[in-house]
Amino acid sequence: MARDLEEEFVSETGEILSSIDWEKVVHAVIDPLIERPDYVMVRVTPSREKGHINLLIVAEDSDTARLVGKRGVVANALRDVIGIATKAAGTNERVHIKFESFGQDAE
């Protein structure tokens, strides 16, 4: 799995952000947990610290609630799983995950 998810990601300034396709990794983990995976956005943002990756996961309110869970239990489990993915890929990157939500428009 780790080899399929590796790719070099470069920021607008030319800085290498990561060697892992985090969007694929995150979607593989969270899609079974949420109702509307097509409405989830995953973004890698640069960190001030070398070897650190910031992931922003944006989803609808109800899906964000599922991803965070009661007292953050699910969010902490996701952090653990993503951390294991970095080790499986052979990187020393430290991943920080932030969740944001948006309201669902009336259909």
Side-chain angles (χ1 to χ4, degrees):
M1 176 179 148
R3 293 289 166 225
D4 294 339
L5 301 173
E6 286 185 15
E7 192 173 311
E8 192 169 281
F9 290 90
V10 180
S11 72
E12 293 172 1
T13 61
E15 172 189 8
I16 296 175
L17 296 176
S18 180
S19 61
I20 297 174
D21 184 344
W22 288 110
E23 187 170 356
K24 285 183 183 177
V25 172
V26 170
H27 274 287
V29 174
I30 69 172
D31 283 359
L33 304 175
I34 57 178
E35 290 182 357
R36 300 184 78 170
D38 294 339
Y39 290 91
V40 173
M41 179 182 73
V42 178
R43 293 290 178 252
V44 178
T45 58
S47 176
R48 292 182 180 152
E49 298 180 53
K50 186 172 176 70
H52 289 240
I53 300 294
N54 296 320
L55 293 179
L56 174 64
I57 301 173
V58 182
E60 289 184 345
D61 292 339
S62 60
D63 283 338
T64 300
R66 282 184 185 85
L67 293 174
V68 172
K70 290 184 180 181
R71 292 185 275 194
V73 172
V74 177
N76 288 333
L78 290 172
R79 289 181 178 103
D80 289 344
V81 169
I82 299 300
I84 291 168
T86 63
K87 289 174 181 50
T91 69
N92 288 328
E93 296 169 329
R94 171 106 173 143
V95 178
H96 304 278
I97 302 174
K98 180 178 179 184
F99 297 91
E100 288 188 9
S101 63
F102 60 89
Q104 180 180 359
D105 294 335
E107 295 181 13

